[in-house]
Amino acid sequence: RKEVEQDPGPFNVPEGATVAFNCTYSNSASQSFFWYRQDCRKEPKLLMSVYSSGNEDGRFTAQLNRASQYISLLIRDSKLSDSATYLCVVIPYNNNDMRFGAGTRLTVKP
Amino acid sequence: ETGVTQSPTHLIKTRGQQVTLRCSSQSGHNTVSWYQQALGQGPQFIFQYYREEENGRGNFPPRFSGLQFPNYSSELNVNALELDDSALYLCASSPRFPGANVLTFGAGSRLTVL
């Protein structure tokens, strides 16, 4: 089983749609969680951190469920510019490195 | 404030050759991590350098090695290249250890091994 698993998609949605991505992680002792965004042939960029209480940044909402070892990202009112690959990232406890999922590809169409 | 810069941006090598990739960390950052991203996959952690010492390593063979210099820039060296080494190699820097939530990536070096 992979340490961080994501639905690879692709998700093809119309502008204005709401879309949700899920991610599961295998290490129950993981301590930090993030969503990164990666545009085609570009480097990953931090989208948002994920907290147990849930957090929101404009149209984006991230949730963490430690009991189920599950992370989600919700995008409301999708824009064309949201088209990208979304990477789920986990940092294991007492570790230095970030563990990335394979990414979920989103295409928002007019 | 300059970001993370990597060189070269693209290169082509043949099996068995050696390659050196370079990374200049963002101003004020003292920790550098290297990742390998194969096509269609997420980045995989290779190793991290802090204060010129290796500080964590992923599941990569010893032919992957690195250095960090006093100015915090870094090199990734890969010996005896294999076809599967073809990937985007990403360097990321952060201002403190571990500081992951402020990890800044460079644009990467795309390596093709023929």
Side-chain angles (χ1 to χ4, degrees):
Chain A
R1 182 187 173 188
K2 289 184 181 178
E3 194 158 359
V4 182
E5 294 207 60
Q6 295 183 248
D7 181 344
F11 285 63
N12 297 308
V13 303
E15 268 188 296
T18 295
V19 62
F21 305 138
N22 301 321
C23 170
T24 57
Y25 60 94
S26 60
N27 187 340
S28 61
S30 297
Q31 59 176 340
S32 301
F33 310 88
F34 308 91
W35 284 100
Y36 270 69
R37 170 193 169 128
Q38 187 171 26
D39 293 298
C40 188
R41 305 186 77 80
K42 299 283 189 180
E43 71 274 23
K45 293 185 178 178
L46 177 66
L47 179 65
M48 59 198 303
S49 301
V50 188
Y51 305 115
S52 296
S53 55
N55 49 302
E56 189 173 312
D57 182 3
R59 298 181 292 109
F60 298 83
T61 301
Q63 294 276 355
L64 166 64
N65 184 322
R66 285 189 182 272
S68 302
Q69 295 177 210
Y70 169 97
I71 303 160
S72 65
L73 176 68
L74 182 76
I75 306 175
R76 291 181 299 278
D77 189 23
S78 299
K79 312 291 185 190
L80 296 177
S81 58
D82 293 335
S83 297
T85 296
Y86 291 83
L87 297 161
C88 175
V89 183
V90 172
I91 300 181
Y93 176 75
N94 202 28
N95 213 314
N96 310 324
D97 58 291
M98 305 173 84
R99 309 293 171 87
F100 285 80
T104 298
R105 187 171 164 191
L106 171 66
T107 301
V108 181
K109 299 185 175 180
Chain B
E1 177 179 271
T2 56
V4 178
T5 57
Q6 294 186 240
S7 64
T9 55
H10 295 81
L11 69 167
I12 299 173
K13 293 283 187 178
T14 56
R15 244 180 346 176
Q17 284 189 309
Q18 178 265 344
V19 68
T20 297
L21 307 177
R22 295 178 176 83
C23 171
S24 293
S25 59
Q26 182 167 313
S27 176
H29 288 192
N30 58 14
T31 301
V32 173
S33 302
W34 285 92
Y35 288 81
Q36 180 196 66
Q37 187 174 23
L39 198 62
Q41 300 296 315
Q44 298 295 310
F45 176 68
I46 303 175
F47 42 56
Q48 182 183 84
Y49 278 84
Y50 173 64
R51 292 185 175 178
E52 302 176 52
E53 301 268 341
E54 188 179 288
N55 184 53
R57 188 180 181 93
N59 188 27
F60 280 81
R63 60 190 185 85
F64 286 77
S65 63
L67 287 171
Q68 186 180 31
F69 300 99
N71 67 353
Y72 307 124
S73 66
S74 178
E75 285 183 355
L76 165 64
N77 300 289
V78 187
N79 294 321
L81 284 167
E82 301 177 359
L83 297 179
D84 285 349
D85 295 334
S86 295
L88 178 68
Y89 288 85
L90 293 160
C91 170
S93 71
S94 54
R96 64 184 185 279
F97 171 76
N101 58 330
V102 289
L103 211 61
T104 303
F105 283 89
S109 294
R110 191 168 296 278
L111 170 66
T112 302
V113 182
L114 302 176

